[in-house]
Every structure is written in C-alpha cells, then in structure tokens.
Amino acid sequence: MQPQRPWSRRAALRSLGASAALLGASAVAQGQASSAEEVYEALRLQRGETLRVAGGELKLVVQPNGAGADWLRQVHAWVDRAIAVASIYFGRFPVDRAGLLIRGVPGSGVRGGVTYGFDTSAVKVDVGRESGPRDMQDDWILTHEFIHLGFPSLRRRHAWIEEGSATYVEPIARIQAGQLTAARMWRDLLNDLPKGLPAPGDAGLDNTHTWGRTYWGGALYCLVADVELQRVTAGRHGLQTAWRAIRDASGGNVAFWTIEQALTAGDRATGRFVLTDLYRQMAPAAFAVDIDALMAQLGVRAAADGTVVLDDAAPLASVRRAITRAG
Ligand SMILES: [Zn+2]
C-alpha cells in the first residue's frame, strides 16, 4: 500500500514546560500520543541500549507492549537501516547524541513519529505489533525523523523548511543507500508536489501554514534550489552540500537558529546565493512554480500505467541524475 506521506510531526517548541503541557492536554483529549515530557522521561529512566553510530551514539528504548521476539528483531534491523540511510546523506549520523523511543501499538505498520530538539535530540515512533518485515522495510517515517535531527530548530513560521526538507531529503537518502529507486521518487514528486503550490488567496511559505504548503511547498523549495545549485555548479554542488554544511555548523536540531543563519551557512558552502535568493521569492509572497515544465526539463514523464519514464535526452537529465547520486 502506498504510504500516506508525510504526516509525522516535528515538535520544535523551545519551552519544554509549556509544550509538554500542551502536548499532554491534546494527548489526553485524543487518547493517544504521549507528551514530550513522557518521551524524555522514558529515554532517561528506562533501560535501553546504546548504539554506536557514525559521529556519536543513540540510546534506543523499546517498549514492546506485548510484541514478541520476531517483532523485536525486525525493529532492530529497521532502526539499523534508518541509521545507515541518515548517515549516508549527512556523511555521519545527524547528531552527536540522540534518544529513540519505539512503542509497540495495536495493528500493523509504522504509525507515525515525532522528533524533539529540547535539551537533547529525541525521536519517538509507534510501530504496530502485528507489523511484518515488509511494513518496516518499506517504511519512510523513521528516516524522515532522523533527517529532522540534522537541521537546526527554527521559529514555527518557518516549519515549511524543516518539514519540506525532511520530505524532500528522505527518498534521496534512501536512494543513495540503495533502498528506493529513483523512478519511484520522481513518480512521487510528480504526483505530490502540486499539493505545495499556492492556492488562491495563499501568501508566501512564511505566512500560509496549511499542510500542503508546509510539507510539499517546502519540498518544492528544496527541489527548485537543488536543481538550480546543480545547474549553476555543473553538478559539483547541490542541496546535499548545503545541508551537510548547515548540520556541521549548527550541530543539528538542538540548535535554535534563525532561518537566515541556516540559509547563509548553506550558501557559503556552495559559493552561491541560491538558498537565500529563492527564500526571498517563495517566503514572503505566493510564488508559483511550473512543475510540469520543470519535470519535462528534468526528463520525468508520466507513463500510462502510473509509473514514470526517465528521459536521459532531456535538457536537465544530468541534473536529475546528480540529485540522487551518492554524495
Ligand atoms: Zn517531519
């Protein structure tokens, strides 16, 4: 089944007391998700294991809640794969230290995650206790959350760049790790990016905070920036160069930065002002991108059976290939 991506959440509120109270209240109302405070408490107090990751360590706490030994083995393999994917993209694990809380819940499939960046980096993901190997092999959610770890926390009005970049980077990282085909990613982008275009009456990305604009509008910003960077540097640099530099300068999501700081760090690494210039176009006012024309230039064409054809004779075919090449 095609996952309904993306719907995981990012908690970047800076005041833990206030946010924990807010999240706690909504969790009680919905009878589901735990509060940030509960996640941090579980990671601090419960017995877990410390996984060595490139550049640091990850404390893993699993609450099986009745799930068996097979499920536990699958969870470990799935966590290991997501660690490898995020580390390939950033050239190391995205933060020096993080906690990961996995909770077994009724049903099957990976049920959504939240990433926190308060005093330390933390991720919580719920996994159905009846999940099989395929559910976890096909999962994108844990990788999406790990990608969040590598980007500094910003004011909430800029959530579009945090969610958009995790949405855009996750499939690229999985392609680089050999877990996903480029054709599949381009098909998804072709289908989903139009959800990020401004609707009538919408303002820029900093001022319209709908789901589509936040996730897919942010992803569209990342794609346009990546294409432009690859094009003007003849494939020497892309968004990955910028995102690695932002990670290295900030240390990841425990840093609380302005968006200008992040974009400037990225621009400095590529020697171009692509990120800042595009931000000035897309953030303050509605900015329509001709997605069909862009995809045609990249050589991405919809096929009758719902897949895509990748055309290597298209004008920007080399840019398309560079975007998913392992960096
Ligand atoms: Zn997210």
Side-chain angles (χ1 to χ4, degrees):
M1 196 180 76
Q2 167 78 357
Q4 289 297 306
R5 77 168 64 200
W7 62 285
S8 61
R9 290 175 296 132
R10 171 84 154 69
L13 298 170
R14 299 308 295 175
S15 163
L16 180 54
S19 67
L22 278 172
L23 286 168
S26 76
V28 170
Q30 296 165 24
Q32 43 170 352
S34 51
S35 69
E37 204 168 38
E38 285 168 341
V39 171
Y40 276 98
E41 199 171 276
L43 287 170
R44 201 164 45 240
L45 300 181
Q46 289 190 17
R47 192 191 299 273
E49 54 191 300
T50 301
L51 308 179
R52 298 270 158 223
V53 293
E57 56 184 44
L58 177 71
K59 180 176 179 184
L60 171 65
V61 173
V62 183
Q63 298 175 342
N65 298 324
D70 274 358
W71 182 89
L72 263 177
R73 267 194 299 277
Q74 285 163 27
V75 162
H76 276 90
W78 163 67
V79 170
D80 285 345
R81 276 199 306 274
I83 289 170
V85 172
S87 303
I88 282 172
Y89 189 82
F90 286 104
R92 50 155 294 157
F93 192 71
V95 286
D96 296 344
R97 271 179 67 229
L100 171 61
L101 175 64
I102 305 288
R103 301 190 316 179
V105 295
S108 66
V110 179
R111 299 303 191 84
V114 190
T115 297
Y116 305 94
F118 303 120
D119 48 353
T120 55
S121 298
V123 173
K124 185 216 60 158
V125 181
D126 290 344
V127 182
R129 289 189 294 268
E130 275 91 63
S131 299
R134 276 238 77 84
D135 290 314
M136 294 193 210
Q137 244 153 41
D138 293 343
D139 170 63
W140 56 271
I141 290 177
L142 184 54
T143 299
H144 174 103
E145 302 303 336
F146 279 167
I147 299 296
H148 273 313
L149 296 177
F151 200 82
S153 297
L154 307 179
R155 294 177 71 94
R156 290 188 76 76
R157 67 195 304 251
H158 311 303
W160 60 269
I161 198 164
E162 299 181 40
E163 290 304 343
S165 68
T167 301
Y168 178 73
V169 164
E170 166 262 312
I172 292 175
R174 287 171 66 209
I175 292 167
Q176 293 179 343
Q179 291 187 8
L180 193 75
T181 65
R184 172 62 189 271
M185 180 191 87
W186 290 111
R187 187 197 75 177
D188 289 349
L189 287 177
L190 192 65
N191 290 336
D192 291 329
L193 279 174
K195 297 171 192 162
L197 289 172
D202 274 2
L205 291 171
D206 272 352
N207 299 307
T208 297
H209 304 297
T210 55
W211 176 87
R213 297 281 276 151
T214 300
Y215 284 87
W216 292 109
L220 186 57
Y221 169 91
C222 292
L223 172 65
V224 173
D226 207 355
V227 168
E228 185 61 6
L229 277 168
Q230 300 282 1
R231 197 182 63 75
V232 298
T233 66
R236 274 182 294 113
H237 295 304
L239 200 78
Q240 191 165 14
T241 302
W243 254 236
R244 284 183 176 190
I246 294 167
R247 194 233 73 83
D248 290 348
S250 65
N253 75 327
V254 285
F256 187 60
W257 271 23
T258 65
I259 193 166
E260 289 82 6
Q261 269 178 292
L263 301 182
T264 302
D267 281 341
R268 200 177 296 129
T270 62
R272 311 283 170 151
F273 292 100
V274 168
L275 296 177
T276 301
D277 287 348
L278 191 60
Y279 173 69
R280 288 187 180 138
Q281 288 181 290
M282 293 181 77
F287 179 83
V289 175
D290 189 340
I291 294 170
D292 288 343
L294 180 60
M295 288 294 177
Q297 284 204 303
L298 290 166
V300 181
R301 224 175 38 237
D305 63 355
T307 63
V308 293
V309 175
L310 301 180
D311 175 10
D312 280 343
L316 295 181
S318 63
V319 164
R320 187 195 73 235
R321 290 192 301 266
I323 282 173
T324 54
R325 189 178 299 140

